[in-house]
Every structure is written in C-alpha cells, then in structure tokens.
Amino acid sequence: MAVRAAVAGASGYAGGEVLRLLLAHPEVEIGALTANSNAGRPLGALQPHLFPLAGRVLEETTAEALAGHDVVFLALPHGQSAAVAEQLGPDVLVVDMGADFRLKDPADWERFYGSPHAGTWPYGLPELPGGRAALEGSRRIAVPGCYPTAVSLALWPAYAAGLAGPEAVIVAASGTSGAGKNPKTHLLGSEVMGSMSPYGVGGGHRHTPEMIQNLSAAAGEPVAVSFTPTLAPMSRGILATCSAAATPGVTADALRAAYEKAYADEPFVHLLPEGQWPATAAVHGSNSVQVQVAYDAAVGRIIVISAIDNLTKGTAGGAVQSMNIALGLPEELGLPTIGVAP
Amino acid sequence: MAVRAAVAGASGYAGGEVLRLLLAHPEVEIGALTANSNAGRPLGALQPHLFPLAGRVLEETTAEALAGHDVVFLALPHGQSAAVAEQLGPDVLVVDMGADFRLKDPADWERFYGSPHAGTWPYGLPELPGGRAALEGSRRIAVPGCYPTAVSLALWPAYAAGLAGPEAVIVAASGTSGAGKNPKTHLLGSEVMGSMSPYGVGGGHRHTPEMIQNLSAAAGEPVAVSFTPTLAPMSRGILATCSAAATPGVTADALRAAYEKAYADEPFVHLLPEGQWPATAAVHGSNSVQVQVAYDAAVGRIIVISAIDNLTKGTAGGAVQSMNIALGLPEELGLPTIGVAP
Amino acid sequence: MAVRAAVAGASGYAGGEVLRLLLAHPEVEIGALTANSNAGRPLGALQPHLFPLAGRVLEETTAEALAGHDVVFLALPHGQSAAVAEQLGPDVLVVDMGADFRLKDPADWERFYGSPHAGTWPYGLPELPGGRAALEGSRRIAVPGCYPTAVSLALWPAYAAGLAGPEAVIVAASGTSGAGKNPKTHLLGSEVMGSMSPYGVGGGHRHTPEMIQNLSAAAGEPVAVSFTPTLAPMSRGILATCSAAATPGVTADALRAAYEKAYADEPFVHLLPEGQWPATAAVHGSNSVQVQVAYDAAVGRIIVISAIDNLTKGTAGGAVQSMNIALGLPEELGLPTIGVAP
Amino acid sequence: MAVRAAVAGASGYAGGEVLRLLLAHPEVEIGALTANSNAGRPLGALQPHLFPLAGRVLEETTAEALAGHDVVFLALPHGQSAAVAEQLGPDVLVVDMGADFRLKDPADWERFYGSPHAGTWPYGLPELPGGRAALEGSRRIAVPGCYPTAVSLALWPAYAAGLAGPEAVIVAASGTSGAGKNPKTHLLGSEVMGSMSPYGVGGGHRHTPEMIQNLSAAAGEPVAVSFTPTLAPMSRGILATCSAAATPGVTADALRAAYEKAYADEPFVHLLPEGQWPATAAVHGSNSVQVQVAYDAAVGRIIVISAIDNLTKGTAGGAVQSMNIALGLPEELGLPTIGVAP
C-alpha cells in the first residue's frame, strides 16, 4: 500500500528536489503540493523538469490541503514549520527540511535565529552514532542543514575515535542552490559565474551551532567550530574542507582505519581509495557522499574532505532516507547513489 | 532472467553514461567492461560517480572479453565497431553508440568520414515514423548522433505534415561532453568557461548527412540542411534552434497541432505548453526531450526548438531505450524522465 | 582640458561598464553618478570592482545632478531618456545606451515598445557605411543594442556587396549580463548555470527591427530577419550565427574579399584568418569584434559569425567609441582592444 | 626610450597574460616571443585575444632569440629558468614567473621539487615588509606563486603585528588557469564545470614552503601552514580563506587597525569596508587585491580572506609591477586596477 506524501513549499529548490526523488520512489504516491506566493500556478511553470507533475496546480499551504497524507514534507522558510506541524496529527510523519527543530539548545536557537525555540525533533542524519535508532518509528524528523551534513559526516568519525582536537576549522564551498530560489541581486548568474566569495564569516552562519552540536556529541566533549562558507560558481554541491589538530599519537593509518570502520557498512558514504579526492560532480544529483582523509605530519593536523549534493543528501535525499527509516522501509529505497557526471 | 550487458569503451563519457543507466535498470546485469588505453585500471579511478562498479578492472576490448553477453554496447571511436561486431554472434544484441552504421548512403559516409562504409543498421530513434518497428527484435542498433537526435525530433513532425520548406537552418549549442573525454587544449575548462564558439561551420560537421537522411525521409523529398554547431560553457545538453520557411497556408495553430499529434503518446518527448521554452537544465541527466514551436508570420518561417541531454537521450539513453524495444522490454524501463534541476 | 562626464544609471551593468572604461580614458574626468532606487548608497557597495570610485555616493537622477557636464551617459530603462535629455542643453553630448532613439520608424517603435516614439538620434555604430560621418560633431547619440551590434557587423558587408539574399536567419547566444542586473528568478545563477535556453522566439525580441533597419540600409532594399536569442551560461559575450541565401554567383573567395575590404581599416573589427572561428572569450572585456565567414556550397548559403562582449562593444564600449568620434578625439582612445582570456 | 621586452613561453597562460599587460604598458616595446612545442606557429592561433600580435610567429626559446632585450620574462616549466638566465647578461632584467628562484632554503626546494636548488632571487611581492627595497635596481626577480601571493597578502599584516598564532590554516579556491594550459583529462571543461575538488591535500602542494617563508619572515618566528588548495569551476581567480588562533588580547578593532595601517598606501591592495567581502569577480583581469578581516570571538581566531586574479596579480601583473620597481618606473604603470565585472 502506497505511502501518500504531501509537499509544502513545492515551488522552491528543496521542494522540487524532494518531488524529483519521490517520483522515483516505488512506495510513494504524491498527494498535495502547496506553496505560498506561487499558489494557483501549475507546477510545470515553476519546476519544468518535473514532467509527470507539470499539470498539477499548487494549493495554498493550509492544514486542509495537507490533511489526509501519511507523510508531509515541509520546505518552508524557518519559523513556519511549527504552526503547520501542530495541525497535523501525531500519526502523520512530518519531515521538516527547514531549521526549526534541529537545535537542542534553545539559547543557540535564539542567538542565531532571533525567535523563540520551537522544540527539537529526531535528527535526520542516520550515519551519526545512534542516528538510525533515533529515527525508527519516529513521526517527526528534523532534516539537517546541508553544511552540517557535509561537515558532520566528514568529522564525526575522527571525534568519536578520539583523533581530533577540540577545535575544528572548516571552509566549505557551496553551489548557489543552497541559497534558495530567491531573486536577489547577488545570486544572479551574472554575479556568481566566474566568482568565488565568502559570506557569514567569523562565526555568523546559522549552521554553526548545528555542527557544534553534532561534533560535540561524537567527541563526548565540547568542540569549537570555526566555519567559513563560500559561494561557488555551480548550481549544486558542497565541498567541505575540515581540519583539526591531531591528538597525540595519531598516525595516518589510525586515521584511515577509523573512517574505514565508521563507513564500512554505510550505503551512501564512500571513503575513497587512497590518492583519490572528492569532487562534487561525482555526487551530483545523488544521495552519495565522498569522504577522504589525510594526516599532515608537518603541522600535526588531520584533514577530512567531503563532497555532497546540497539538495540531495544535503536536503531532500536525507529527508527521504530518514523517511524510509521512520516508516520501516529499506533505507536506500528510491534514492539514487550514482551521480550525474560529467 | 537478467539481461547480461557488456560495455566496450567504458572509460569515456558515452560508456560511463550507459553504465549509469544500466545500473538503474531492473532487468540488466552488468558484465564485461573494456577499454583501450585504460585497460587494467579500476573503473573507480576513471568514473568516480559509478560507486557500485568502483572496484571493477577494465579489460582489453577483445572478442573474448565481450563474449557471453546478451547485449554489447559499443562506445568506440568511429571505424572500430564493425570489426568488433563481426566477432559477436547474430543473436547478441549489439548497440553501437558510434557513427559507423547510421548512414544509408555509402557516398555520404565516405565523404564525411573518409573511409569505406561498414553498412547500415536499424536506427535507434524510436520516435521517428516507423522507428519502433525497425527496432523490434533487431540484434543490431545504430544509435543516432546527439545533434541528429535533437534536430530530427525538432523537425520531423513539421516535415511529415508538409509544413516546412525543403531547406532547414539549424544552429545548435552543445555542452562540452559532446566532444568526448579528449584531453585537447581547446576543451580545457579554462578555455570553455565563459565562452561560446562555433565549429564545423559551413556544412562540415559529420552529423549533417544524418540529419538530412532523417528529415528527407520524413518529408518524402530531399531536405537541405545548413547546420552550425556551437560549443557552450556547460558539461551537458543540446539546445537546437531549427527553422525553415513555412509552406503556403501554414498557421501557428496548424503547426502546433502537428506537434501535438506527433508527440501525444511519446513517453520522453514533451511539447511544452505555449509560452514556455526548452532549457537544457530541465532535461539534465534524463532521457526527456523538450520541444516548442513558433510561427514567425513576419518572415514566414517556422521555428522549432528542442532541448536534450546529449549523453542521455542523445547517446546512452537512446541506446537503452532502443535496447528495451529490441528485447521486448517496456520502452521506458530503467530510464529517468526527470532532469536534475537546478 | 578634460571632458567631464556624468553617468545616469551608474548602479547597473551598462553604467558600471561605462565607468570602467571612462576610468581608463585619458581625457575624461568622472562627474556625477546617479541612480534611482540605489541613490544614497556608495558605489563601492554596488560596483565593487570600481575601486577608485568606491566612496562616491550615488545621487538621484535629476537635471540638477546631471547639469554642468560635457557628456552625459544615460543607462536608463527604456522610455526614460527623452525626459532627461530635454533638460540637458543642446551643447551637452548625450549618449543614450537605452533603446529610445535607435529606431527611425515610429511604427516599429510603437509595435515593439508600446509607447510613443521619442525620436531618432545619430546611431552609434561607426563601422556601418556612413557611420562615422553621422557621429562627427553630434551632440546626441543612440548607442545600438547589443544584439544589433553583433548582427549588423556580421552581415552588413555581405548585404552591401550584394552577396546575401533578402532573408537573414540569426541565432545568437548571449551572456546573462545582457538581461541586466534584474533580480529575477530565471536569471539566478542556479537557473542559468549548466543551461541554454531561448527567449523572445518567433520575432518578438525588441532588437529585431533595429537589425532590419541596419541590414536594409546596407542592402538598399528590405531585408527580413528571423531572430532567435538564447541565454548562455556565461556572464558576458554574444556569439551571433547569421546566415542568408547566397545570391547567384557568390563564391567563398568573393565573400571573404568583401569582408576583407569592409574591415581592412577598422581598429576594432577583426576578420579572423581562415580556419579560425570567433569565441566570446577572446573579446571578453574588450571593444573588439571577431568575424569569420563561410560559404556552404551544399545549401547555397553564406554563414557569418561574430563575437562581441555585449557590455563593451555591445554597449559601453560602443558608447565611448562614439563619444570619441563626436568630440573629435581619436576613436580608439581609452578603449581596450585585447580581451581578458582565458 | 622604450623598454624592450621578450617573453619566453608566450603560448601559455602566464605568457599570454604578461603580453596582455605589456601591450597596454606605455614604456614597453614587445620583442621576441618564444615557445617550445609551439615554435613556428603564429601567436594568433594560440592566443587569439592578443590581436595586435596575431601575426607574430613564435621562435624557439634560445639565447639568441632572447638576446638584445632590456627585460626577459620567463614563463617556463620549473627547472628550466636557470639555464636560460645564465645566458642573459647581468644587465638584462630577468623576471622569472616560474618557481625556480623563490625559495631561500635549498632543502625546501629539494623536498618539494626533487631537483637541485638553482638559487634565490629578489622576491616580487612589493607589498611585503621590505619588499620594494629588495626589488629596486635588481636585475633578477622571482615572481611569487599565485597562492603565496594571495595568502601572504592576507596574513602578513597579522603576523607582523603579532596578532596571529604560529599555525595558519588555509583553504584556497583557484580557477583552472592556475593549472596551466595543459591538456589533461581532469582539467577538461566537462570535468571542472559544476565541480569543486581539492588536490595536494595534507601539505603536499609546492607553494606551501613559500607561504611558510613569507609568513615566518613577517612573524619573526617560524609559522606552520596547513594548506589545502581546491579547484573551482571558473577560469581565473583565487579566494584564500586564511585563519589562525588570535594571540591573547586581540580585538576586532586591533585586527582591523593593523590591516588599515599595512595597506593604507598600497595602490593595489584594498581593505574592504566592514561588512563587504572579497569576490574574485571584482578583481578579474586586474592587479588589485581585495582583503577583509574578521575576529571570531567564539573560537578565538582571526580570519582573513583575500581575492586576486591568479594570472594578473598572482603571476603576470605581479611580474610587471616588480619590473616597474626594478626599472625605476612608476609602480602602477600599465597595470589595470579595475576588474572586468560582472
């Protein structure tokens, strides 16, 4: 019997991506599609790649429209998910692709988002220690941010194995779809093509406390994070370059062994062979993650680099993967593992 | 029972793309993978996106390596397919993604390729009139060129309906993967990013006689083709802008009606709603085709524009679609219809 | 004695480009910079590449602000230039980079722009027959559109020499800066990178009558134009692929000879050696134009391809070149001829 | 009287860029142009943007060809400069854009380059403390590497002011022209467009010891450098994200003050206003550098980000700037300060 799924925020990039994946999911039937300013328009005019849904007209995002589904994906601006979720019954699986329920510490939330904290939901990153158990049977899922997905998968094994010092330095490059389908001047093609630029420098990016939360949990002690995001001239993809001081006695072999152990059985995370480095093109459109590690003896640091597709594993793919776990379906069901390259 | 498929030329772009598709095909089991200069290397080093095959080592392209398969896909430089195909039995389905067996007229072949003609195989463009019938049960398939796929799908309905004059003018923009994985200076990222440039201007491109062949067949009389290909700063995609003088009495409605009729039941070809234009991003990584038509009354011309992914519908997707037909499988089996956008 | 220049619309792409060029012009001193919604902001926040002017604050576009200059460049939305120009005295050189004064036929204007025709000014394309004479001493200049610049320079020599039939078919690819610094969804980097798409298909683009005007003047008889613009994934550049039926008796040599004669003494237009084709990268940021010709004997057509930078030769460079002529300065003064490549 | 300049290695990216700049230099006359495998070909076929030199034929790189010039620019593979320089007299200014004479410590050279050390020449980064004095009157100049230029300009002021701890962590993104005009598969447009990837991870990049040399000199004590370069999908530009632990007592104001002091009188280095961040597009094709600083109190680190054009300030612009100083010409002569944006 099919799982009936609704998508709130179907006209944006996260909404479009979850629909792309759900259309290929053998157990899902697509129900209501809602939007705000685009309500009343056909999806084909807004998401022309979603041919099978081209004629579907977007509804207003209301409790009525979203009622009667087994799963509701929320792709809404932050601050809007709680009000919608409250109106959906406790038996409905609500998968929030926004930020509202990711952080455990209300003070973190308030400092970075400036509004009251809505709560904390089970966290949709199954590869973290205990990650799957937290999702099984859950009816509320907070999908991680795209940067925290890339960074946490890069660094948690080092922290869990006690190989990394308590201060991580992270520089990540993201494709422009990470900034959403927002018609802002600095996101115009003319501005971004041929250009690399940073933003949110100095600790201001809202994904920072989420990384700290994940890495501290893996380490069993507080981890500080220096995070600098940059905008790269590509539509999709995150390349996260993460490093930390190695703890005493770390060797290149021990580092590699920790990652081999962490990811030996993971269906989506690929520790690359030695000598091969991640590239975002290799995971374009897929739920796969590439990871590679290095130990720089000259400076005593470990460097871990990961590549994901920010819209797939970083958002909608992680959401569907978590949905599969919550509903007791095979975790990989309907999810592409192979990137569209070149 | 699974169809066992081999791929000769697995290290290039066409070979990689057919493997991407075959990995998602529920009836196919992947057998031998062969190469020339890359024989002996693991596929993961050459096609890092094909995670499930990362450890597979490429063999030399020999009759022995390719023996014992139900289907053999050839992704070889032109001129090499005939010798390989001869060594495969008549019961093996051989799908040639090269040019060798596309042209019917040996003189055309010799003029454009400068070598003896190897023959003509059933043509792998099922959407052409009679296209499916030619493929059913066949054990030899010549997959069309990427440009002829885009152009023929754009124009054959107009010619079949008698709406277009006998001289077509075509300007097409292609992503750089159309030029293959060839380490040539003019294909470097530094050269192509931020640049548009033409090549093969004035009738010299080898895909020209193939377009003429297809359009003349649809028209029932000789069609002349002025074809100018251009290289666009993107990895994938072809946008073909095709026009011809309208025959007397043509109206915008008649033009649209001809295309609605031609493509009403086609699973992969999408005539867009009026006012919406093709974009290669919408079909990125998919087997879909976007088509739109216009009648310019001021100059008495019809303009038809199509968008395809040159590696998918333009090469490997068309190959798998044709394989499905030849083997009696559902035509859409294993083929993505939804592009990876944005 | 320095020429004192003001720029109205200094926050947009055309305004920024004319400032880039004027800053390198040895005879120009930059005066007032005005804007509409961006008035009151420092230029450095809007045009960060214009370091020497970073601290200059934009004024409102008023007659007072623009008074007291020798030259005023208008980079305004169409329909706004006439009101501004009226308030500037007849001795002030007004260079309009918008469309308002390009067309001679009021009916053309009204059909394509839907408003009353403001008039016709001397046309800023010196390379056209009689082009320089029309500009010498003038105090009003209508800078051509970017597409008409590329297309007219490609085709006028063929028409002037009687080599081209009366129907031109043109497909041009433009970088996204041609669409202006407009925060619209379809111009987002996420949408345009990796994608080619057409717009204004079927004769609707506003630059069409301007091309017809120029080519008909060169031919001495009406020329019809089928024009299809496409958006390419690059910030700058236009590649125009132009063709027409060859008139009887045309040869490849005659065609080439016509272009050699037309451009032998032009400082900015480069007829490329045989075998070499234009590429927009080669003229990036320069006022140069690359042109190449071909005769396709199989279809009896001439093909002429040109490459320009839409913001330089296509807008601001053409404006400065025309200013130089109008003021009696050396035509090339302050203008870059060498593109920034790769 | 004109300075007569030769360029050895004129067919590559560094050679092409230095010619672009020299063509605009009012005191330079361009003499011999030499190459290796491209000797005998016209420059126009290899550097089509250099219109004024299109007909110049490349000579073999020999002492004879390079004799009789005031300045010789060497754009050669590393290891080849010493032999050429020896044959040029001590009065000829030799500007080496390769790596051969940058490092002071022979052991560093041998470890990273695996060949005997050729020596050390005055270092062409005038903005370093004592940088100009070292160049004045010199007849040998080692032009810095592109990454060391970006990184040293980002961090030396912090080290000179005692604000940064002895371990710097640097992640830099470079356009593909930094890898040269080498026809290698991983540099194909198809591979790099839409992709970010690292290389030389873990301390292996050859520019690392050069950064250590510069930063240690500024600090007056050894500085360790963790350097990770990444390849970005753009032709030009480097964005360097540099951080280090702040020394005790550092404040955001003190950090900013140090940079204001360091760069107050620099013609090419622009400390951006607070709130504005570097972008490589803003310096595209120019000799300018954008720098911005931040202090992240939560982790006690300073972050400094710089943007340069790797071919201009990072190679050929730095070379011409240094030549100007060595010859007693105005330092900015002939160098563009304004980027080609968008």
Side-chain angles (χ1 to χ4, degrees):
Chain A
M1 205 182 75
V3 173
R4 197 166 157 76
V7 175
S11 60
Y13 289 145
E17 183 73 350
V18 83
L19 286 169
R20 180 174 78 87
L21 299 174
L22 295 178
L23 280 163
H25 194 293
E27 298 292 332
V28 170
E29 177 188 304
I30 292 174
L33 307 180
T34 77
N36 294 323
S37 59
N38 285 309
R41 300 184 64 187
L43 192 68
L46 300 159
Q47 308 274 22
H49 59 304
L50 301 175
F51 298 107
L53 302 171
R56 295 281 298 274
V57 175
L58 295 173
E59 303 175 66
E60 291 275 354
T61 303
T62 62
E64 293 70 38
L66 298 173
H69 296 83
D70 302 305
V71 187
V72 176
F73 289 90
L74 303 181
L76 303 171
H78 71 80
Q80 301 187 3
S81 294
V84 174
E86 267 170 26
Q87 298 183 286
L88 302 167
D91 295 341
V92 177
L93 173 54
V94 183
V95 183
D96 185 21
M97 297 192 285
D100 296 26
F101 299 97
R102 292 171 187 162
L103 297 182
K104 293 180 179 167
D105 182 344
D108 276 349
W109 176 269
E110 284 160 25
R111 188 164 64 253
F112 280 86
Y113 291 89
S115 60
H117 189 224
T120 312
W121 287 357
Y123 191 70
L125 196 53
E127 292 88 355
L128 289 183
R132 287 185 176 81
L135 294 168
E136 284 164 11
S138 174
R139 286 298 172 267
R140 294 292 183 272
I141 296 171
V143 178
C146 51
Y147 285 123
T149 295
V151 168
S152 302
L153 293 174
L155 282 181
W156 82 257
Y159 278 108
L163 305 176
E167 186 174 280
V169 177
I170 295 152
V171 179
S174 173
T176 53
S177 62
K181 202 191 271 188
N182 294 314
K184 293 178 180 165
T185 300
H186 76 284
L187 297 174
L188 286 175
S190 302
E191 301 291 316
V192 300
M193 287 187 284
S195 198
M196 291 283 307
S197 59
Y199 62 104
V201 184
H205 195 281
R206 285 167 166 165
H207 285 177
T208 308
E210 191 180 342
M211 297 177 196
I212 294 172
Q213 178 175 290
N214 293 348
L215 299 181
S216 299
E221 60 180 4
V223 173
V225 169
S226 166
F227 174 55
T228 307
T230 65
L231 202 64
M234 57 190 190
S235 290
R236 289 173 173 240
I238 287 178
L239 185 82
T241 301
C242 311
S243 73
T247 50
V250 165
T251 63
D253 286 351
L255 180 65
R256 187 159 187 91
Y259 280 78
E260 282 173 348
K261 185 179 158 207
Y263 291 135
D265 298 325
E266 284 299 338
F268 293 116
V269 186
H270 308 272
L271 178 64
L272 295 178
E274 293 186 61
Q276 193 175 340
W277 290 92
T280 62
V283 297
H284 187 96
S286 87
N287 207 48
S288 287
V289 183
Q290 287 187 323
V291 175
Q292 184 56 290
V293 299
Y295 172 62
D296 184 344
V299 294
R301 290 184 81 83
I302 62 169
I303 298 104
V304 190
I305 300 185
S306 62
I308 65 168
D309 184 314
N310 59 303
L311 290 181
T312 322
K313 180 57 178 169
T315 307
V320 171
Q321 183 184 357
S322 297
M323 174 199 81
N324 283 342
I325 295 171
L327 297 179
L329 297 168
E331 185 173 333
E332 304 170 57
L333 202 65
L335 285 167
T337 55
I338 303 172
V340 178
Chain B
M1 205 182 74
V3 173
R4 197 165 158 78
V7 175
S11 60
Y13 289 147
E17 184 73 350
V18 83
L19 286 170
R20 181 176 77 87
L21 299 175
L22 294 178
L23 280 163
H25 195 292
E27 299 292 332
V28 171
E29 180 188 301
I30 294 174
L33 307 180
T34 78
N36 295 325
S37 59
N38 286 308
R41 300 185 65 189
L43 192 68
L46 299 160
Q47 307 275 20
H49 60 303
L50 301 176
F51 299 106
L53 302 171
R56 294 282 297 274
V57 175
L58 295 174
E59 302 175 68
E60 291 277 352
T61 302
T62 62
E64 293 69 36
L66 298 173
H69 296 84
D70 303 303
V71 187
V72 176
F73 289 90
L74 304 181
L76 303 171
H78 70 81
Q80 301 187 2
S81 294
V84 175
E86 269 170 25
Q87 299 184 284
L88 302 167
D91 296 339
V92 177
L93 173 55
V94 183
V95 184
D96 185 21
M97 299 191 284
D100 296 24
F101 299 96
R102 292 171 187 162
L103 296 182
K104 295 180 178 168
D105 182 345
D108 276 348
W109 176 268
E110 285 160 25
R111 187 163 66 251
F112 280 87
Y113 291 89
S115 61
H117 189 223
T120 311
W121 287 357
Y123 191 70
L125 196 53
E127 294 86 354
L128 289 183
R132 286 185 177 82
L135 294 167
E136 285 163 10
S138 174
R139 286 299 172 265
R140 293 293 185 272
I141 296 172
V143 178
C146 51
Y147 286 122
T149 296
V151 168
S152 302
L153 293 175
L155 282 181
W156 81 256
Y159 279 107
L163 306 175
E167 185 175 285
V169 177
I170 294 152
V171 180
S174 173
T176 54
S177 62
K181 202 190 271 189
N182 294 316
K184 293 180 180 164
T185 300
H186 77 284
L187 297 174
L188 286 174
S190 302
E191 300 293 315
V192 299
M193 289 188 281
S195 198
M196 292 284 308
S197 58
Y199 62 105
V201 184
H205 196 282
R206 285 167 166 165
H207 286 177
T208 308
E210 192 180 341
M211 298 177 196
I212 293 171
Q213 179 174 290
N214 293 347
L215 299 181
S216 298
E221 60 179 4
V223 172
V225 168
S226 165
F227 174 54
T228 307
T230 66
L231 202 64
M234 57 190 192
S235 289
R236 288 173 174 242
I238 288 178
L239 186 82
T241 300
C242 312
S243 72
T247 50
V250 166
T251 64
D253 286 351
L255 179 65
R256 187 160 187 90
Y259 281 77
E260 283 173 347
K261 183 179 160 209
Y263 290 135
D265 298 323
E266 284 299 338
F268 293 115
V269 185
H270 307 273
L271 177 65
L272 295 177
E274 295 186 58
Q276 193 175 339
W277 289 91
T280 63
V283 297
H284 186 96
S286 88
N287 206 48
S288 287
V289 184
Q290 287 187 325
V291 175
Q292 184 57 290
V293 299
Y295 173 61
D296 184 344
V299 294
R301 289 184 83 83
I302 64 168
I303 298 105
V304 190
I305 300 183
S306 63
I308 65 167
D309 185 314
N310 59 303
L311 290 180
T312 322
K313 179 59 177 168
T315 307
V320 172
Q321 182 183 357
S322 297
M323 173 198 82
N324 284 341
I325 295 171
L327 297 179
L329 297 168
E331 184 174 334
E332 303 169 60
L333 202 64
L335 286 167
T337 55
I338 303 173
V340 178
Chain C
M1 204 182 74
V3 172
R4 196 166 159 79
V7 175
S11 60
Y13 289 146
E17 183 73 350
V18 83
L19 285 169
R20 180 174 79 86
L21 299 175
L22 294 179
L23 280 163
H25 195 293
E27 298 291 332
V28 171
E29 178 187 303
I30 295 175
L33 307 180
T34 76
N36 294 324
S37 60
N38 285 309
R41 300 185 65 189
L43 191 69
L46 300 159
Q47 307 276 20
H49 59 305
L50 301 176
F51 298 107
L53 301 172
R56 294 281 299 272
V57 175
L58 295 174
E59 303 175 66
E60 290 278 350
T61 303
T62 62
E64 292 70 37
L66 298 173
H69 296 82
D70 302 304
V71 187
V72 176
F73 289 89
L74 304 181
L76 303 171
H78 70 79
Q80 300 186 5
S81 295
V84 174
E86 269 171 25
Q87 298 184 285
L88 301 167
D91 295 338
V92 177
L93 173 55
V94 183
V95 183
D96 186 20
M97 298 193 285
D100 296 26
F101 298 95
R102 293 171 187 161
L103 297 182
K104 294 180 178 166
D105 182 342
D108 276 348
W109 175 269
E110 283 159 26
R111 186 163 68 253
F112 279 86
Y113 291 87
S115 60
H117 189 222
T120 312
W121 287 357
Y123 191 69
L125 197 51
E127 293 86 357
L128 290 183
R132 286 185 177 83
L135 294 167
E136 284 163 11
S138 174
R139 286 299 171 264
R140 293 292 185 272
I141 296 171
V143 178
C146 50
Y147 285 122
T149 295
V151 168
S152 302
L153 293 175
L155 283 181
W156 82 256
Y159 279 108
L163 305 175
E167 186 175 283
V169 177
I170 295 153
V171 179
S174 173
T176 54
S177 62
K181 202 191 269 188
N182 294 315
K184 293 179 180 166
T185 299
H186 77 283
L187 297 175
L188 286 174
S190 302
E191 300 293 314
V192 299
M193 287 187 284
S195 199
M196 291 283 307
S197 59
Y199 62 104
V201 184
H205 195 282
R206 286 168 166 164
H207 286 176
T208 308
E210 191 180 341
M211 297 176 197
I212 294 171
Q213 178 175 291
N214 293 346
L215 300 181
S216 298
E221 61 179 1
V223 173
V225 168
S226 166
F227 174 55
T228 306
T230 66
L231 201 64
M234 57 189 190
S235 290
R236 287 174 175 241
I238 288 177
L239 186 81
T241 301
C242 311
S243 72
T247 49
V250 165
T251 64
D253 287 349
L255 179 64
R256 187 159 187 91
Y259 281 77
E260 283 173 348
K261 183 178 160 210
Y263 292 135
D265 299 323
E266 284 297 338
F268 293 116
V269 186
H270 308 272
L271 178 65
L272 295 177
E274 293 187 61
Q276 193 175 339
W277 289 92
T280 63
V283 297
H284 186 96
S286 87
N287 206 50
S288 287
V289 183
Q290 286 187 324
V291 175
Q292 184 55 291
V293 298
Y295 172 62
D296 185 344
V299 295
R301 290 184 81 83
I302 64 168
I303 299 104
V304 190
I305 301 185
S306 63
I308 65 166
D309 183 316
N310 59 302
L311 290 181
T312 320
K313 179 58 179 167
T315 306
V320 171
Q321 182 183 358
S322 297
M323 174 199 81
N324 284 341
I325 295 171
L327 296 180
L329 297 167
E331 184 173 335
E332 303 171 58
L333 201 65
L335 286 167
T337 53
I338 303 172
V340 179
Chain D
M1 204 182 76
V3 173
R4 195 165 159 79
V7 176
S11 60
Y13 289 148
E17 184 73 351
V18 83
L19 285 170
R20 181 176 77 87
L21 299 175
L22 294 178
L23 280 162
H25 195 293
E27 298 292 332
V28 171
E29 177 187 305
I30 295 175
L33 308 180
T34 77
N36 295 324
S37 59
N38 285 309
R41 300 185 65 191
L43 192 70
L46 300 160
Q47 308 275 22
H49 60 305
L50 301 176
F51 298 107
L53 302 171
R56 294 281 297 272
V57 175
L58 295 173
E59 302 175 68
E60 290 278 353
T61 302
T62 62
E64 292 69 38
L66 297 173
H69 296 84
D70 303 303
V71 187
V72 176
F73 290 90
L74 303 181
L76 303 171
H78 71 80
Q80 301 188 2
S81 295
V84 174
E86 268 169 27
Q87 299 183 283
L88 302 167
D91 296 338
V92 176
L93 173 55
V94 184
V95 184
D96 185 20
M97 298 192 285
D100 296 26
F101 298 96
R102 293 172 187 161
L103 296 182
K104 294 179 178 168
D105 182 345
D108 276 349
W109 176 268
E110 284 160 25
R111 187 163 65 251
F112 280 86
Y113 291 89
S115 60
H117 189 223
T120 311
W121 287 356
Y123 191 69
L125 197 52
E127 294 86 355
L128 289 183
R132 285 185 178 83
L135 294 168
E136 285 164 10
S138 174
R139 285 299 171 265
R140 292 292 184 271
I141 296 172
V143 178
C146 51
Y147 286 123
T149 296
V151 168
S152 303
L153 293 175
L155 283 181
W156 81 257
Y159 279 107
L163 305 176
E167 187 175 281
V169 178
I170 295 152
V171 179
S174 175
T176 55
S177 62
K181 202 190 269 190
N182 295 314
K184 294 180 179 163
T185 301
H186 76 284
L187 297 175
L188 286 174
S190 302
E191 300 292 316
V192 300
M193 288 188 282
S195 199
M196 290 284 308
S197 60
Y199 63 103
V201 184
H205 195 282
R206 286 168 166 166
H207 285 178
T208 308
E210 191 181 342
M211 297 177 197
I212 293 171
Q213 177 173 293
N214 293 346
L215 299 181
S216 299
E221 60 179 3
V223 173
V225 169
S226 166
F227 175 54
T228 307
T230 66
L231 202 64
M234 56 191 191
S235 290
R236 289 174 174 240
I238 287 178
L239 186 82
T241 301
C242 312
S243 72
T247 49
V250 165
T251 63
D253 286 350
L255 180 64
R256 188 160 186 89
Y259 280 77
E260 282 174 347
K261 185 179 158 209
Y263 291 136
D265 298 324
E266 284 298 341
F268 293 116
V269 186
H270 307 273
L271 177 66
L272 295 177
E274 293 186 60
Q276 193 175 339
W277 289 91
T280 62
V283 296
H284 187 95
S286 87
N287 206 48
S288 287
V289 183
Q290 287 187 324
V291 175
Q292 183 56 290
V293 299
Y295 173 61
D296 184 343
V299 295
R301 288 184 82 81
I302 63 168
I303 298 103
V304 190
I305 300 183
S306 63
I308 65 166
D309 184 314
N310 59 303
L311 289 181
T312 321
K313 179 60 179 167
T315 306
V320 172
Q321 182 184 356
S322 298
M323 173 198 81
N324 284 341
I325 294 171
L327 297 181
L329 297 168
E331 184 173 335
E332 304 169 58
L333 200 66
L335 286 167
T337 54
I338 303 173
V340 178

